[in-house]
Amino acid sequence: MDDEDQLVYTLDDALASAGFGKFQFLVLAYAGLGWFAEAMEIMILSFVGPAVKSQWNLSSTQESLLSTVVFAGMLVGAYSWGLFSDYCGRRKGFLGITIITSAAGFLSTFSPNYVSLLILRCLVGVGLGGGPVFSSWFLEFVPASHRGTWMVVFSTFWTFGTIFEAALAWMVLPRLNWRWLLAFSSLPSIAQLFFYWIVPESPRYLSMKGRITEAHNILEKIAQLNQSKLPPGMLVSDSTIGLDEESAPSKYTPLLSSTRKLVSDFKSGFSSFVMLFSSKLIRTTLLLWLLFFGNAFSYYGIILLTSELSSEEGKCASTVLLSENLRDDSLYINVFITSLAGIACLVNFLCT
């Protein structure tokens, strides 16, 4: 019995023993809903721009700015929500992300003018920038041996979100208008708020914050729902494994005040960003940024270019011609088929 009490295990050991089961499927459903909602808000750019341009007689520059402000907001949100969720927790991060995305998305429906629509869509972009928090949170519940496969499965929610948005636009725009499409597209984000109360905190976040008891309680729920058992012994934080003598006496130092701790956490977040440009990581950082830029540029470029090619015959197209093209099914068919191609790519990846 004494030997068992002296045994320790890490979070990864616990996740491996608990396995992948019902608990992870529930986590996948919520995280996938967030990814699904983000895909819809991105795909809507293919339809709202041409529709608003036709109704409000906007210039091509003004139309393109409707998409630009969304990505500008995402640039701000992508780094901000990462720091926020690392400091305040994944659950509070979800709450902030869903409130901003759902509120700004729904209020966009009632935009009285072009400027207000720009501001609200920029706020939507800030919320959408927190999308990676959903994927990170989901993977923090998945055993290391399963993360590659289930990350691909998680990506299918984005594909189905784009397909659903294309189908929704096909049904709504010819019969109603772009305001109704914005309203319907915000419903998945609103649905996330209703299910927020059942969202568990990430055990990895709790473990890194030293809240071992809370992390252990969640791991026990995972094991219970998956009908498995945790390893014998006591859960310890990964950061406590292999501590050197210099860091060991830290448990005897007095706790930092809340103000000093806040400053320390922000410095830690900034230093982690600067670390990406260290001599050991700068090559990997630049290569990953280049690959991600190429992938994002190609994907969003094709999606947005599809709507432009379908809704305009040329630079001299009149407002009447644009309005007629928006009622033509070719725009929705083209975007719908483009979205379906994502399924083939995912199936091919899973089969290889």
Side-chain angles (χ1 to χ4, degrees), residues 5 12-13 19 32 50 71 143 188 196 247 250 265 271 281 310 319 328 351-352:
D5 291 338
D12 285 331
D13 296 331
F71 292 108
Y196 170 76
S247 59
S250 61
D265 287 336
S271 63
L281 297 177
S310 301
T319 302
D328 188 5
C351 293
T352 55

Side-chain angles (χ1 to χ4, degrees), residues 191-203:
Q192 285 185 279
L193 292 176
F194 288 98
F195 294 104
Y196 170 76
W197 63 276
I198 64 173
V199 175
E201 184 56 270
S202 165

Side-chain angles (χ1 to χ4, degrees), residues 238-250:
D238 293 340
S239 59
T240 63
I241 302 299
L243 284 176
D244 54 21
E245 295 180 356
E246 182 179 350
S247 59
S250 61

